[in-house]
Amino acid sequence: MSGMGGRKASGRKTSGDTTGGEDRSPAALDAPYDGSTEARYPAPTAEEDATPAADLDLTGDAENLFDDEALLDDEEAEVGGEVAGGLIETVIEDGTPTGRLDAVLAARLVEALGPEAPSRARLQALVKAGKVTVDGRIVHESSRKIGAGARIAVELPPPEPATPEPEAIPLDVVYEDEALIVIDKPAGLVVHPAAGHARGTLVNALLHHCGDDLSGIGGVRRPGIVHRLDKDTSGLLVVAKTDRAHRGLAAQFADHGRTGALERAYIALVWGAPRAGGGTIDAPLARSTANRQRRAVARSGGKEAVTHYTVLERFGSGDEPIASLIECRLETGRTHQIRVHMAHIGHPLVGDEEYGAGFRTKVNRLPEPAHSLAAAFGRQALHAAVLAFEHPVTGEILEFESDLPDDLAALVEAFRAIP
């Protein structure tokens, strides 16, 4: 990675056969795609991975692999709007406020889902429609009294997706051709419209920027999102402009670089000093039972999640450095994976209010200017710095690097100056 300051991204491309002799003639490239990842990215050997491409928890037939929604569980993917359809259950414990069914259920869903919880009026309509059960029996009266020990289940229907509108939002375009576009996303930009973020997203910006260059994904003129970054994570993203590019890129991201050219690396500033040199965190992740908007290391079950980290630099003197700059590379792509894993080993990201709130007091003990910069930082210190992949049409290997954005670069320099 070139340097740690400034706000720039660079890229390069190389040619060459990386698929072990795959036919890349025009006829082969234009042939209908059969929905199989093995066609382009053969399964790894048993020594490499016994469960290839299982990370995304894809269900249904093969074409689901190329649906945007099938790829939502990507590293650092924002969770706004993830409260889609599904069955939610809750038990009223002793000491918990009781009362009318609609009031009790509304309060419990706010605790579980936060601002994405349905309104009390919406819950009353669901009760009337027979979508709510109490102790296994359908209830049609919102006024029914609920006492301690009651088990309530509600079936939330999936939200109706809105059609994104083009918006003239400035983009930092690193690379673009007829098939795809690579963006250096700033912190603060949501990737895809969702509940609470219907406008002002990367998708809205791409619809305006690409215009008629979008040939359509699944018959609809829209950009093909194959991976995401959290709203407050900056860095490199590739987006497909055609169905063909979408299929090829989706297969690579599903494979997570096990057998192909896909490469992604993240730079993070974390509290404390992880093990010298680096290490591997192998801890499955699941939704937090305390807050469904968050993720947590699962005590049992959960989805496989593996993060490899390398310590690049330590800040502060003495036996206990104040913070460290690390590089993370992922074997899997779970929502908030880096943030949860680093917090799990006791080294949350600087600025991470979700997973590192317990380290907030450390900011007050920092000398200037690190104290002022850290106190005002306002987001997790995480940047997608490296992105490489095989072009889904030409077969060229495209490689891109992005320096730290100005705010994160200034914060790192301030920590570097700590005596």
Side-chain angles (χ1 to χ4, degrees), residues 39-259:
R40 286 182 179 271
Y41 302 96
T45 64
E47 290 77 11
E48 291 172 322
D49 192 324
T51 55
D55 314 331
L56 290 177
D57 194 27
L58 303 176
T59 57
D61 54 22
E63 69 182 17
N64 286 335
L65 177 62
F66 308 115
D67 186 324
D68 286 349
E69 298 308 311
L71 294 168
L72 291 185
D73 196 15
D74 190 29
E75 76 275 31
E76 303 313 307
E78 62 266 11
V79 297
E82 278 194 16
V83 183
L87 187 69
I88 297 179
E89 296 182 335
T90 183
V91 176
I92 309 303
E93 300 91 350
D94 290 337
T96 302
T98 57
R100 286 174 53 109
L101 171 61
D102 54 350
V104 171
L105 185 55
R108 296 307 294 266
L109 290 183
V110 167
E111 293 176 5
L113 306 181
E116 310 301 337
S119 67
R120 185 169 173 180
R122 176 62 174 148
L123 289 175
Q124 290 172 349
L126 291 174
V127 171
K128 187 175 181 180
K131 300 297 184 180
V132 177
T133 63
V134 177
D135 296 329
R137 295 185 177 183
I138 296 176
V139 176
H140 293 283
E141 302 81 28
S142 296
S143 60
R144 173 168 173 168
K145 298 299 181 181
I146 299 298
R151 181 180 295 273
I152 307 173
V154 56
E155 183 180 345
L156 297 180
E160 291 294 327
T163 302
E165 296 292 332
E167 294 183 59
I169 300 171
L171 292 174
D172 185 352
V173 179
V174 178
Y175 174 87
E176 183 175 14
D177 61 23
E178 296 81 3
L180 56 85
I181 183 170
V182 177
I183 301 294
D184 201 354
K185 187 187 86 68
L189 180 64
V190 173
V191 172
H192 201 286
H197 298 288
R199 301 182 62 83
T201 72
L202 177 62
V203 166
N204 297 109
L206 288 170
L207 287 170
H208 178 271
H209 173 85
C210 298
D212 292 338
D213 287 346
L214 293 174
S215 67
I217 306 297
V220 180
R221 192 179 298 279
R222 61 188 174 98
I225 303 298
V226 294
H227 68 128
R228 302 189 184 189
L229 297 176
D230 183 72
K231 172 186 176 183
D232 290 326
T233 298
S234 56
L236 297 166
L237 273 164
V238 59
V239 180
K241 296 166 67 175
T242 69
D243 257 326
R244 182 177 171 191
H246 194 214
R247 290 193 299 265
L249 289 172
Q252 294 184 61
F253 278 86
D255 184 64
H256 290 293
R258 290 186 177 96
T259 61

Side-chain angles (χ1 to χ4, degrees), residues 4 26 36 42 85 108 151 172 182 240 303 349 368 378 390:
M4 289 296 173
S36 168
R108 296 307 294 266
R151 181 180 295 273
D172 185 352
V182 177
K303 295 181 179 180
L349 275 61
E368 294 294 349
E390 179 184 335

